[in-house]
Amino acid sequence: MSQKTIYFKTENSLINSIKTRADIKILKKGSAIAKFFGKKSYSDIYFHSGSLDEDSINRIKNSKITIVNSFSSMNLILEKTKVDYKKIKVIYPSVNVEYKEQKEVKQKYIEKLSIPLNTKLLFFTAKNFKTSGIKEFLDICSNLTYNEFKIIIAGSKQNLSSLDFILTKYRKLEDKIIKVDEEKENIDDLYLMSDIFLLPTYNKNIASSVIKAMFCECVVFTTMNNDAKEIIDIYATMEHPKDPSTSFKIDAVLFDENELKNIKKQNSSIAIQMSLDRNIEKFDEILLNI
């Protein structure tokens, strides 16, 4: 197979896995002088992420194939650029987690995090707590009637430090919250041991954490404004970050052990299709048809 060029603005696990291959060449960013006086080079495949600015539109129009991480992004591109839909391909963010049994992982943390084995775990993690809905997460948790649960909140030291002030308003949850520094624990293990992953985010770009949580057999709830809505069940879709029905929905799942297990299995089967290995296969198929 002849060598194909790729261009990207942001790396991800799929790009990291393919960029050193012999059949792939990375198109380097041109210098400022080249942008004004030189002829612009375009890649065979453009991995689009972020805003749809003038440079992105030019690359989409001039690349043979553009890969995006959601159908919402694809539809926006088709609307703004009028390119042939056959030139836009969707590959969801990749998940690359070593699967372990939940009880096995939870056993490891029972003493370390003071978690009783049969306690249900609600998990929140994000790069930006505020825009990802930490306050809304806590509001929802404080309205649950199911009582045998703990909350794990994982993030950077800065995020956890800023959380302390917010938590003063949630005394009801004081004995339920476990804060975890993401640099000190294996975050994948926290996904694997959790039952519910709740992300009442204000962000539009697809949350890769949702895919990871689904792969790790969590019941996942997130918002309509996030592109992750494309892969979760309508029942688990929040109309907005402050959707008052969310507490009732989570209660219903927590009180019904069979339903909890069923949703976990369904989510896992969906997310397996987005494993890194599967996504490499999807990329290779695109490559073959260029």
Side-chain angles (χ1 to χ4, degrees), residues 6 9 15 78 80-81 98 130 133 146 150 162 164-165 167-168 183 201-202 209 225 238 251 253 281:
I6 66 169
K9 294 179 181 177
I15 291 169
L78 294 176
K80 297 291 184 182
T81 67
E98 179 190 355
K130 185 176 181 180
Y146 187 92
K150 292 274 190 183
S162 65
D164 289 337
F165 174 73
L167 292 180
T168 60
E183 293 182 2
T201 181
Y202 289 88
S209 57
N225 54 280
M238 303 167 62
D251 265 332
V253 173
E281 289 175 7

Side-chain angles (χ1 to χ4, degrees), residues 133-239:
I134 184 61
K135 185 179 180 300
E136 292 73 13
F137 172 89
L138 294 168
D139 286 338
I140 292 165
C141 291
S142 65
N143 286 319
L144 294 174
T145 57
Y146 187 92
N147 193 48
E148 300 303 314
F149 72 91
K150 292 274 190 183
I151 295 167
I152 299 177
I153 300 175
S156 66
K157 289 179 181 177
Q158 184 179 352
N159 273 323
L160 295 176
S161 178
S162 65
L163 182 63
D164 289 337
F165 174 73
I166 300 173
L167 292 180
T168 60
K169 301 176 182 178
Y170 295 93
R171 298 297 185 192
K172 181 180 176 182
L173 298 174
E174 195 170 23
D175 65 337
K176 292 186 176 294
I177 293 175
I178 302 165
K179 295 189 297 179
V180 177
D181 184 341
E182 64 184 8
E183 293 182 2
K184 295 182 178 179
E185 296 296 341
N186 184 339
I187 297 296
D188 288 353
D189 280 354
L190 301 182
Y191 282 100
L192 286 162
M193 67 191 287
S194 298
D195 298 286
I196 306 281
F197 181 74
L198 171 60
L199 191 73
T201 181
Y202 289 88
N203 300 319
K204 182 188 183 302
N205 291 334
I206 190 165
S208 57
S209 57
V210 166
I211 299 173
K212 183 180 282 192
M214 291 173 68
F215 182 88
C216 294
E217 295 190 1
C218 291
V219 176
V220 175
F221 290 84
T222 196
T223 45
M224 276 288 292
N225 54 280
N226 190 268
D227 290 346
K229 66 180 180 292
E230 297 175 9
I231 59 172
I232 64 172
D233 189 89
I234 189 67
Y235 178 82
T237 306
M238 303 167 62
E239 288 191 13

Side-chain angles (χ1 to χ4, degrees), residues 43-59:
S43 58
D44 294 306
I45 298 175
Y46 167 48
F47 285 86
H48 173 68
S49 59
S51 61
L52 194 58
D53 55 19
E54 185 179 346
D55 178 64
S56 297
I57 290 172
N58 281 334
R59 293 190 182 281

